[in-house]
Amino acid sequence: MTIAHHTDAPAGATRQAPASVTLAGALNAALADALADDPSVVVFGEDVGPLGGVFRVTDGLAARFGETRVWDSPLAEAGIVGTAIGMAMNGMRPVVELQFDAFSYPAFEQITSHLAKMRNRTKGRVQLPVVIRIPYAGGIGGVEHHSDSSEAYWTHTPGLTVVTPSNPTDAYWMLRQAISSDDPIVFLEPKSRYWMKETLDRSRPQAPLDRARVIRTGTDVTLMAYGPTVKTALDAAELAELEDLSVEVIDLRTLSPFDDETVGASVRKTSRAAVIHEAAQFGGYGAEVAARVTERNFFHLAAPVLRITGFDIPYPSPKLEEYYLPTAERVLAALDTWEW
């Protein structure tokens, strides 16, 4: 599997001084720079043209680059991904948007049976540099089919790289790196974090795409999170500090392949680990994380690896989602179940 590791900024990354942007704005900047730098990059999907996308991530791109580079597709997700596969086989670098997480299911067969397998099927002769952008998870009061956390489907599929940023800077750099990769990448965008803001410096390259990052150091617990739950983990670490509990927080960033090195080093230091995600617990991504951490660090663990997740029910209505989503308080309650 080939993943681009940038040591120098892409050509379009030095055009602006550091500025405060939202996560959605950072994604927009990444798409604009990629389109400007590489004529083989195209962007298409449902409502990504003049409307600029449901979350305005593609705002202004159609007007700037024209309808041959950025365009609206029919409402047919299997057709979107199938078209992207054909384009990639012929030298293009398509970036497609599947408007909401559960909207990706009609394209499941194209993604798992063709996109993920083509390179292996052709013994490496055919590369498919396709990026599939999927807004995912809850926290926006969306109705059914608009708030799924479907990461486990994609991470279970060999041949796909699956990434999810949690902040604007990572959103910009991870999308640039994903577009320049020669492998298919499922790019999960946390809807509830689209409007968070921070200063983005596009002249400074960030970490490799396949590495997790320790974003808060601690000595007692390793708390792993990704996408929308990274803020939850940081809030939990702040609360834990009031109880004299030192929590190290890791933003996993790339869900597949998994960064065993960074996670393992932290767990061997703290001897305890927990993982947070919004998806239901049974068969969720956290089960794989718990298994990997246990298998590789068993003799360093002082307690079982915990999972703090959504409940094993269909995603609830907007009025009830606050009771479903993991919170900092639920994280602390889970940590208290250990015998310290």
Side-chain angles (χ1 to χ4, degrees):
M1 182 170 288
T2 304
I3 297 177
H5 287 197
H6 288 286
T7 55
D8 298 304
T14 59
R15 295 183 179 123
Q16 297 182 12
S20 180
V21 298
T22 63
L23 191 149
L27 293 170
N28 180 276
L31 290 170
D33 287 350
L35 285 160
D37 291 345
D38 187 347
S40 70
V41 174
V42 293
V43 175
F44 62 99
E46 298 165 4
D47 297 323
V48 303
L51 178 66
V54 171
F55 298 100
R56 302 301 184 264
V57 171
T58 56
D59 188 39
L61 297 183
R64 176 178 173 185
F65 295 98
E67 63 181 12
T68 62
R69 302 288 305 283
V70 182
W71 69 88
D72 289 335
S73 70
L75 304 182
E77 289 80 9
I80 293 171
V81 177
T83 300
I85 291 171
M87 297 178 76
M89 292 176 69
N90 288 277
M92 304 299 288
R93 290 184 176 272
V95 182
V96 301
E97 177 181 307
L98 303 183
Q99 196 170 78
F100 282 92
D101 29 52
F103 292 10
S104 66
Y105 303 151
F108 190 85
E109 196 271 339
Q110 286 284 357
I111 296 171
T112 59
S113 295
H114 304 295
L115 184 65
K117 291 182 171 65
M118 186 63 69
R119 189 166 191 172
N120 183 70
R121 181 183 297 148
T122 61
K123 297 182 179 180
R125 291 191 296 272
V126 177
Q127 298 176 342
L128 294 181
V130 177
V131 176
I132 301 178
R133 295 181 41 246
I134 304 177
Y136 83 117
I140 64 165
V143 295
E144 63 174 349
H145 310 312
H146 293 74
S147 297
D148 278 12
S149 293
S150 49
E151 59 270 23
Y153 299 141
W154 312 124
T155 58
H156 184 67
T157 305
L160 297 177
T161 296
V162 183
V163 306
T164 177
S166 66
N167 58 79
T169 298
D170 267 357
Y172 175 84
W173 283 105
M174 292 171 74
L175 186 53
R176 292 300 311 270
Q177 291 165 318
I179 294 171
S180 65
S181 171
D182 289 331
D183 286 315
I185 292 182
V186 174
F187 196 95
L188 300 172
E189 301 171 5
K191 296 191 292 286
S192 62
R193 306 305 180 209
Y194 270 138
W195 300 277
M196 72 175 297
K197 297 184 74 172
E198 72 175 17
T199 300
L200 171 64
D201 185 354
R202 285 190 273 174
S203 67
R204 186 182 69 252
Q206 299 297 306
L209 189 62
D210 58 348
R211 297 308 296 254
R213 180 184 289 120
V214 176
I215 57 175
R216 179 188 172 107
T217 59
T219 57
D220 297 328
V221 182
T222 296
L223 187 55
M224 294 166 281
Y226 54 88
T229 59
V230 169
K231 183 179 184 303
T232 308
L234 290 171
D235 290 344
E238 292 287 340
L239 289 178
E241 191 173 24
L242 301 176
E243 300 180 7
D244 295 322
L245 188 62
S246 177
V247 176
E248 182 150 296
V249 178
I250 295 181
D251 182 350
L252 294 177
R253 302 175 73 247
T254 294
L255 306 185
S256 179
F258 189 79
D259 185 359
D260 291 297
E261 182 180 352
T262 299
V263 171
S266 176
V267 171
R268 289 190 292 273
K269 178 180 70 172
T270 64
S271 77
R272 296 173 188 264
V275 59
I276 316 173
H277 60 66
E278 291 188 9
Q281 184 175 99
F282 188 86
Y285 182 74
E288 174 62 25
V289 172
R292 294 181 76 91
V293 169
T294 301
E295 289 170 354
R296 289 160 173 77
N297 307 280
F298 181 79
F299 294 106
H300 297 273
L301 288 170
V305 179
L306 296 178
R307 293 172 289 164
I308 303 95
T309 70
F311 300 113
D312 292 334
I313 60 172
Y315 198 90
S317 66
K319 292 182 178 180
L320 298 175
E321 71 174 356
E322 67 178 292
Y323 304 105
Y324 173 87
L325 295 172
T327 62
E329 289 76 16
R330 277 179 58 193
V331 173
L332 265 292
L335 301 186
D336 286 340
T337 65
W338 280 326
E339 293 185 7
W340 288 87

